[in-house]
Amino acid sequence: MHILTDVSLKHYSTMRLGGLAKALVEVSTKEELSEAIEWADKHAMPLLMLGGGSNVIFSDGFNGLVIVNRLNGYEVIAEDTKSATIKIGAGEPWDHIVKQTVQAGLSGIEKLSLIPGTAGATPVQNVGAYGAEIAEVLLELEVYDLKTHNFAILHKDDCQFSYRSSIFKSPKNRRYIITSITLRLSKRPPEPPFYDNLQYYLDKHQITTYTPQTIRDAVIAVRTSRLPDPELTPNTGSFFKNPVISVDHFNNLYQQYPTMAHWPTKDGHIKVAAGWLIEQAGLKGYQAHGMKIYEKHALVLVNDSAKSYADLATFRQEIIEKVKADFGIILEQEPELI
Ligand code: EPU
């Protein structure tokens, strides 16, 4: 185990912003993870677990030990005629896993293709795209419990999954470090109906055979046409959650804006597209403080040349205020703020 000191967190967040971490270590086995936690305890340092850094924003440095998860592994632990159960190391790059399951002919995560980050980060914000969510296929996960100082198994029902949220997301509840996830994937091909813009792509390219591979290819094409690659353009994907508003509030707005993108929620509210709100507020392509709203998708904030978190925070506030003034809706940040 090699502990580094005073490491710039810039290189560990795809937004490429962040101060110094007092200490940082990359762990690739459970033993190394236990050692790193003991080391932090001995030095009375707080802990922060990081995956690919594609869904975190650092407000500053971190006065503790950052553990970068490199725990790997891909193992089929059960299989029958209908499904396969796969245990995946939390540090595995997520899209490598999607590719592997798709090549094995398994369905369940193909719509989550090309999402940046690690496998172990997917349950934290209940990653979702094109109508699929990780919670739908997750059976259980293995964690290190910082309260009991033991490894433990959590079942899906223990995780309180909802839209872009889980028990792992709450800063108060940073009790668990995810070390592996177990998914149950189907041997049946994916079935329509598909999410609008995916269906549009399939129709346009006359794709009528739905396999995990054809759906993965379609998702990759749709994503790359609209979302910037974080390796090349610093960003953290959707910067805001799609806000959920009351039916009354929605009806008032809808009379004025009949093109407003929206979906009803299961609990009788209306979810509206934050990207639509930002675009209609006239902010698509807006640049200030070294930050920019991506021209092809208004929900993505790009770091062009921001110098610090303060630049991002000022920019974020301008967007929140403009959308609030125009629509009476307060946008909430989606990536975790640390
Ligand atoms: N829209 C606009 N202007 C824009 C962007 C979007 O009008 O600049 C409209 C679209 O035309 C569409 C609606 O907003 O009618 C929704 O847009 P899109 O289908 O792109 O999806 P989204 O709601 O903006 C969500 C996820 C994405 C995920 C996509 C695809 C959230 C916060 N984001 O975005 O997730 O890839 O659906 O399913 O739920 C991420 O979390 O980082 C992420 C990229």
Side-chain angles (χ1 to χ4, degrees), residues 27 33 47-51 56 65-71 90 174 176-179 338:
V27 298
L33 173 64
L47 275 181
L48 173 70
M49 193 73 184
L50 267 191
V56 291
L65 175 66
V66 174
I67 303 181
V68 183
N69 195 335
R70 303 276 187 234
L71 296 168
R174 242 180 248 130
Y176 303 113
I177 289 177
I178 299 171
T179 53
I338 295 180

Side-chain angles (χ1 to χ4, degrees), residues 139-143 152-156 158-159 167-168 176:
L139 269 191
E140 59 182 33
L141 29 83
E142 189 187 33
V143 294
I153 300 291
L154 293 184
H155 293 277
K156 174 191 172 167
D158 302 324
C159 304
I167 51 162
F168 308 109
Y176 303 113

Side-chain angles (χ1 to χ4, degrees), residues 147-160:
K147 200 161 164 187
T148 63
H149 287 276
N150 278 313
F151 288 94
I153 300 291
L154 293 184
H155 293 277
K156 174 191 172 167
D157 294 342
D158 302 324
C159 304
Q160 293 171 24

Side-chain angles (χ1 to χ4, degrees), residues 8 23 37-38 53 56 61 65 68 94 115 151 183 194 202 209 214 221 288 292 312 338:
S8 170
I37 294 167
E38 265 172 45
V56 291
L65 175 66
V68 183
W94 174 247
I115 288 180
F151 288 94
L183 308 180
F194 297 113
L202 295 167
T209 311
T214 58
K292 184 172 82 185
L312 180 148
I338 295 180

Side-chain angles (χ1 to χ4, degrees), residues 99-307:
K99 189 173 173 191
Q100 215 164 329
T101 63
V102 164
Q103 279 170 351
L106 297 169
S107 168
I109 54 175
E110 63 281 358
K111 291 180 195 151
L112 307 180
S113 287
L114 220 62
I115 288 180
T118 54
T122 58
V124 176
Q125 55 149 338
N126 186 16
V127 154
Y130 307 102
E133 270 182 2
I134 190 71
E136 292 161 9
V137 292
L138 188 79
L139 269 191
E140 59 182 33
L141 29 83
E142 189 187 33
V143 294
Y144 183 93
D145 184 341
L146 292 164
K147 200 161 164 187
T148 63
H149 287 276
N150 278 313
F151 288 94
I153 300 291
L154 293 184
H155 293 277
K156 174 191 172 167
D157 294 342
D158 302 324
C159 304
Q160 293 171 24
F161 287 120
S162 60
Y163 168 63
R164 286 300 198 271
S165 189
S166 73
I167 51 162
F168 308 109
K169 195 155 180 189
S170 153
K172 287 197 296 293
N173 216 334
R174 242 180 248 130
R175 168 176 170 186
Y176 303 113
I177 289 177
I178 299 171
T179 53
S180 78
I181 63 173
T182 300
L183 308 180
R184 178 170 290 157
L185 302 176
S186 172
K187 292 188 178 175
R188 290 215 191 125
E191 277 173 26
F194 297 113
Y195 195 83
D196 284 359
N197 53 4
L198 200 53
Q199 189 62 57
Y200 176 80
Y201 178 91
L202 295 167
D203 292 345
K204 192 172 156 200
H205 293 83
Q206 294 167 9
I207 298 162
T208 50
T209 311
Y210 307 133
T211 66
Q213 190 67 56
T214 58
I215 299 302
R216 170 170 165 83
D217 293 344
V219 167
I220 289 177
V222 173
R223 280 189 79 95
T224 44
S225 71
R226 299 194 68 204
L227 298 171
D229 178 353
E231 292 292 323
L232 308 172
T233 309
N235 80 90
T236 48
S238 298
F239 193 82
F240 296 103
K241 289 189 199 183
N242 285 329
V244 175
I245 60 176
S246 70
V247 172
D248 284 349
H249 189 172
F250 172 74
N251 285 340
N252 281 338
L253 289 171
Y254 196 57
Q255 279 177 0
Q256 220 180 322
Y257 305 101
T259 64
M260 188 168 195
H262 66 281
W263 311 267
T265 66
K266 283 186 195 123
D267 61 352
H269 290 76
I270 308 283
K271 193 192 276 178
V272 295
W276 185 94
L277 295 170
I278 296 169
E279 178 169 355
Q280 295 300 312
L283 293 171
K284 207 173 194 173
Y286 172 61
Q287 299 186 35
H289 319 289
M291 298 290 302
K292 184 172 82 185
I293 296 182
Y294 194 56
E295 301 89 348
K296 292 187 201 158
H297 202 298
L299 198 47
V300 179
L301 268 55
V302 167
N303 172 10
D304 254 350
S305 59
K307 289 187 187 59

